[in-house]
Amino acid sequence: MSTVTWIPGRQTIRFGGDYNPEQWPREVWDDDIRLMREAGVNLVSIGIFSWALLEPQEGTYDFSLLDEIIDRLHAADIDVDLATPTASPPAWFCRAYPHARAVTRDGTPLAFGSRGIVSPSSPEYRRASTAIAAKLAERYAQHPAVVLWHVHNEYGAPITESYDEYSVAAFRLWLQRRYSSLDELNAAWGTNFWGQRYGAWDEIDAPHRSGTASNPAHRLDFHRFSSAALLECFTAERDAIRAHAPQPITTNFMAGMCPSVDLWKWADEVDIVANDHYLSAEQDDNHIQLSLAADLTRSLARGKPWILMEHSTSAVNWQPRNIAKRPGEMRRNSLAHAARGADGVLFFQIRAGQRGAEKFHSALIPQAGEASRKWRESVALGADVAALTPALGSTVDARVAIAWDWESFWAQDLDWRPSVDLDHRERVEAFYAALWRRGVTVDFVHPSADLSAYDAVFAPSLYLIEDQAAENLREYAAQGGTLAFSYFSGIVSTNDNVPSGPYPGQLRDVLGLVVEEFLPLRAGERVQLSDGSTGRVWSDDIQLQGAAAITTFADGPGVDGPAVTRNDFGRGTAWYVATALDGTDLDSFVLRVLEDAGVDTSPVSDVETVVRRGPGVDYVFQINHGAQDAGAGVAGQDLLTDQAIAASDPVPAGGVRVVRVARSGG
Ligand code: GAL
């Protein structure tokens, strides 16, 4: 874990975005810089997709464009987050090294003409990407405008796993490091099933598409390998930069959006955590999902400040229907990230493009130009972000956590699970939303992390739990913690293997029950619980072994059996819910657990309230997502308007305020 705490230089919240001067003639640059200054932009990410211009032929470099734009930005007092352009290798690279192309699971090599098309295990790619990273670092290490390095772009997108020959060879080596012998691998993967036993390492291939369900342990290990291969690409570039340049180094994660790389491992390798986030137009509560992504990013940053590297001023261009943000929505979105620890609020992109695949994507400077509402909102947001400067470096405390493990998600997504309706992501979002509605700020934790700071830990659909993580959860409860699991948790261990005895093998003693049989529901089927709640998707045949049944199934395949249970374990408590509760039913379950754990909650409200703690002072962020004024009860000084707020003043409908409140007792 890096000791860097923030971007060097000016001590201010960062505001800006991705800037693509290579798409524009010089006279537009002048306009861009004038407008950036008007909006208060103080950081731009450049060079992200410039490899073909910077190295027009292999080993021949041309830095004239970067030299000029970096100097111009510096003269305008705008800092630079300088990218390595390695997410999009040039045409010459793809022609010279056709075997470096990424290959999909069904064997299609990806063609030049897009981005993200190279195998992370290609030695040619590793050599070329570290070479351009080193050249850039050598040239710009001492440039006073360059305050941050941005390696690559969104590792894991658009593809995580490449099934090319280089990847297969690297996978075999990775397996030889993971397993001391083929016998060990055969045992771990359960290869006696369907006669899949291996007699030599080079019989092992990538898990290409096959006749029917592939070996799940094989696929899970290939996913682990692929995440690790991408991470090696990052650390190789990072180290190439570090050899020349002192500035902090980051890469933009997609925490909360893209499930493909294990960001717990990545977070330890960056100096500052940075994240990209886009709303999904399909979701009604997308402001809650935004908060989830922000809390997850802060958790990856281990509580340190982080950068929102990309979000959108309005519509994106890659969803089936790209919904524009309504007036005030961008402001609420941006400040909600800040509320949850972002000390940088950046956008994709500064100026909307005229050519290429992203020309319909929104931008700080939209196609409609300076006369537009969007531009006025962007300028106003720049002023808001500047007004937050006193809160720079302040932190967010959480007493409640949700367990989050990418490996468990990957495993649950494999073939042939007991029901296609099992959806870990949906369950995590549902539990998160229930906590959000009660005003509870949440950290995300790996299940093997130190949990001692939390009064309650929720684990919705934590399907795979490694033995060590199970021990950690057990110890947390034994020492007085409150755990709450949903169905289909603790079912398998490291290699998607079911531990001996009844389900849930990893949790039986903690939960004080066994599941004799899964009782998944039919499509659309609903079951009633004895307290009037309704369940979907799932039920279990539960035998209690010490736990108390709080509610039972009133009908359905599990009729009369326990549906919600509570068990005293050591000095703590473990709850279990055997079906998918929604809306107010889930709210009631979550509230019960919180009350049991002694966690303070607020009445359900549309006002999102998050406290950032500075020395002797709290910054109370209040974001009103509703259509009514609400959220009175906080008194202090609003950083955004510099006006005094009385306890009787509500937050206007759709509005935001950040109230500075002196904290008694430090
Ligand atoms: C991000 C990507 C950007 C841009 C943006 C559009 O995922 O990093 O380069 O494509 O999406 O929303």
Side-chain angles (χ1 to χ4, degrees):
M1 178 113 225
S2 169
T3 53
V4 172
T5 49
W6 193 235
I7 302 170
R10 69 184 94 202
Q11 289 303 295
T12 180
I13 309 264
R14 296 299 182 147
F15 184 64
D18 285 16
Y19 180 44
N20 301 304
E22 64 276 29
Q23 296 177 15
W24 300 97
R26 299 298 192 267
E27 49 292 2
V28 178
W29 294 11
D30 294 335
D31 229 27
D32 290 340
I33 289 176
R34 174 180 65 80
L35 291 170
M36 286 189 224
R37 286 183 58 81
E38 190 180 326
V41 166
N42 56 35
L43 185 66
V44 291
S45 306
I46 59 173
I48 301 177
F49 297 106
S50 302
W51 196 346
L53 294 175
L54 300 176
E55 192 179 356
Q57 292 168 30
E58 185 161 16
T60 306
Y61 298 96
D62 177 359
F63 293 110
S64 53
L65 180 135
L66 272 190
D67 286 352
E68 188 181 344
I69 189 66
I70 294 177
D71 284 347
R72 285 208 202 187
L73 289 164
H74 184 51
D77 200 26
I78 296 167
D79 291 336
V80 169
D81 166 35
L82 186 54
T84 66
T86 52
S88 196
W92 59 255
F93 177 88
C94 297
R95 193 174 65 162
Y97 307 109
H99 297 296
R101 286 185 299 169
V103 174
T104 62
R105 188 163 181 237
D106 43 21
T108 310
L110 298 181
F112 181 75
S114 179
R115 61 177 174 182
I117 46 131
V118 173
S119 163
S121 300
S122 145
E124 299 96 352
Y125 174 68
R126 294 270 177 109
R127 195 180 60 233
S129 55
T130 49
I132 183 81
K135 283 281 173 204
L136 284 163
E138 242 175 293
R139 190 167 187 94
Y140 298 107
Q142 303 308 325
H143 200 296
V146 177
V147 295
L148 182 66
W149 291 93
H150 177 303
V151 174
H152 198 269
N153 191 62
E154 292 185 338
Y155 281 100
I159 61 142
T160 309
E161 297 176 339
S162 175
Y163 290 74
D164 64 288
E165 285 304 315
Y166 290 132
S167 294
V168 172
F171 180 45
R172 286 183 193 135
L173 291 175
W174 184 89
L175 290 171
Q176 283 169 12
R177 286 195 298 273
R178 186 171 174 89
Y179 301 103
S180 57
S181 65
L182 261 186
D183 282 347
E184 202 192 315
L185 177 141
N186 278 309
W189 286 10
T191 54
N192 284 348
F193 176 82
W194 281 355
Q196 294 168 352
R197 207 171 171 78
Y198 294 102
W201 289 102
D202 56 13
E203 288 170 4
I204 302 174
D205 207 334
H208 301 276
R209 191 167 304 292
S210 192
T212 180
S214 303
N215 181 316
H218 183 185
R219 289 200 67 186
L220 188 53
D221 268 353
F222 192 66
H223 211 121
R224 291 181 174 121
F225 154 77
S226 301
S227 175
L230 287 167
L231 184 54
E232 278 177 19
C233 291
F234 169 76
T235 55
E237 285 196 43
R238 178 201 63 192
D239 296 348
I241 295 170
R242 181 58 75 236
H244 304 281
Q247 299 90 342
I249 303 172
T250 189
T251 182
N252 45 342
F253 293 166
M254 302 171 79
M257 287 200 303
C258 175
S260 57
V261 294
D262 182 351
L263 291 176
W264 292 122
K265 296 201 170 73
W266 287 64
D268 288 338
E269 303 291 345
V270 296
D271 289 325
I272 297 175
V273 165
N275 194 45
D276 296 350
H277 183 261
Y278 293 96
L279 300 180
S280 160
E282 308 281 304
Q283 282 177 311
D284 295 336
D285 63 350
N286 59 24
H287 59 283
I288 301 184
Q289 303 319 322
L290 180 157
S291 305
L292 183 159
D295 282 344
L296 176 58
T297 310
R298 183 190 65 253
S299 305
L300 289 165
R302 314 285 198 261
K304 290 199 295 187
W306 53 277
I307 303 170
L308 176 63
M309 190 61 91
E310 292 180 24
H311 69 318
S312 67
T313 59
S314 191
V316 297
N317 66 305
W318 41 265
Q319 295 183 10
R321 291 166 200 85
N322 296 290
I323 307 300
K325 294 190 181 179
R326 304 315 302 146
E329 193 176 355
M330 170 182 75
R331 179 175 193 248
R332 289 194 296 280
N333 292 166
S334 300
L335 297 178
H337 284 287
R340 293 174 191 273
D343 276 354
V345 174
L346 280 70
F347 290 94
F348 178 86
Q349 52 192 330
I350 297 283
R351 181 181 278 281
Q354 292 178 331
R355 294 178 175 75
E358 297 194 309
K359 55 186 166 297
F360 300 126
H361 197 289
S362 59
L364 219 60
I365 310 171
Q367 311 283 13
E370 281 174 77
S372 60
R373 165 179 70 80
K374 201 72 247 177
W375 172 249
R376 288 193 298 280
E377 281 195 32
S378 299
V379 173
L381 179 66
D384 283 336
V385 170
L388 292 182
T389 295
L392 184 78
S394 56
T395 54
V396 177
D397 279 354
R399 307 289 306 163
V400 172
I402 293 181
W404 179 287
D405 182 359
W406 275 277
E407 294 199 358
S408 175
F409 294 167
W410 302 336
Q412 191 175 312
D413 285 343
L414 294 172
D415 303 316
W416 289 7
R417 305 293 120 174
S419 168
V420 293
D421 299 326
L422 285 165
D423 183 344
H424 53 80
R425 178 66 204 227
E426 182 277 334
R427 275 299 85 187
V428 172
E429 289 180 358
F431 273 70
Y432 180 86
L435 291 160
W436 190 100
R437 285 192 286 268
R438 284 281 167 191
V440 176
T441 304
V442 167
D443 277 349
F444 287 86
V445 285
H446 189 277
S448 63
D450 180 3
L451 305 174
S452 55
Y454 303 109
D455 296 327
V457 176
F458 289 82
S461 287
L462 192 62
Y463 164 68
L464 180 154
I465 305 182
E466 302 217 359
D467 298 350
Q468 184 206 348
E471 199 42 53
N472 190 50
L473 293 164
R474 185 174 290 112
E475 190 55 23
Y476 167 71
Q479 296 307 321
T482 298
L483 285 170
F485 290 91
S486 78
Y487 56 88
F488 213 52
S489 291
I491 301 302
V492 297
S493 186
T494 311
N495 294 302
D496 201 49
N497 55 307
V498 177
S500 298
Y503 308 122
Q506 301 285 31
L507 303 172
R508 291 186 294 253
D509 56 340
V510 183
L511 293 174
L513 56 78
V514 301
V515 170
E516 276 201 14
E517 201 171 11
F518 302 142
L519 304 173
L521 304 182
R522 294 175 191 282
E525 185 179 356
R526 296 190 170 258
V527 286
Q528 293 301 309
L529 275 54
S530 55
D531 65 354
S533 317
T534 306
R536 288 183 299 118
V537 177
W538 199 258
S539 56
D540 285 317
D541 179 357
I542 290 174
Q543 303 303 319
L544 298 175
Q545 293 190 345
I550 304 297
T551 342
T552 53
F553 287 107
D555 59 15
V559 63
D560 295 334
V564 172
T565 66
R566 180 185 182 283
N567 188 43
D568 291 323
F569 184 76
R571 293 195 277 128
T573 312
W575 289 78
Y576 183 75
V577 52
T579 191
L581 300 176
D582 295 306
T584 51
D585 294 341
L586 183 59
D587 286 354
S588 310
F589 170 74
V590 165
L591 185 60
R592 232 174 145 152
V593 174
L594 292 172
E595 282 171 351
D596 205 18
V599 175
D600 291 337
T601 59
S602 321
V604 171
S605 148
D606 285 330
V607 180
E608 175 176 5
T609 301
V610 188
V611 178
R612 287 189 60 162
R613 292 164 67 86
V617 66
D618 283 345
Y619 300 99
V620 184
F621 284 69
Q622 291 188 291
I623 303 158
N624 188 350
H625 298 278
Q628 309 294 328
D629 297 358
V634 180
Q637 193 77 7
D638 182 4
L639 291 186
L640 301 178
T641 58
D642 202 23
Q643 302 288 309
I645 302 290
S648 56
D649 294 340
V651 191
V656 185
R657 67 189 186 193
V658 181
V659 188
R660 182 172 42 209
V661 182
R663 190 171 57 241
S664 47

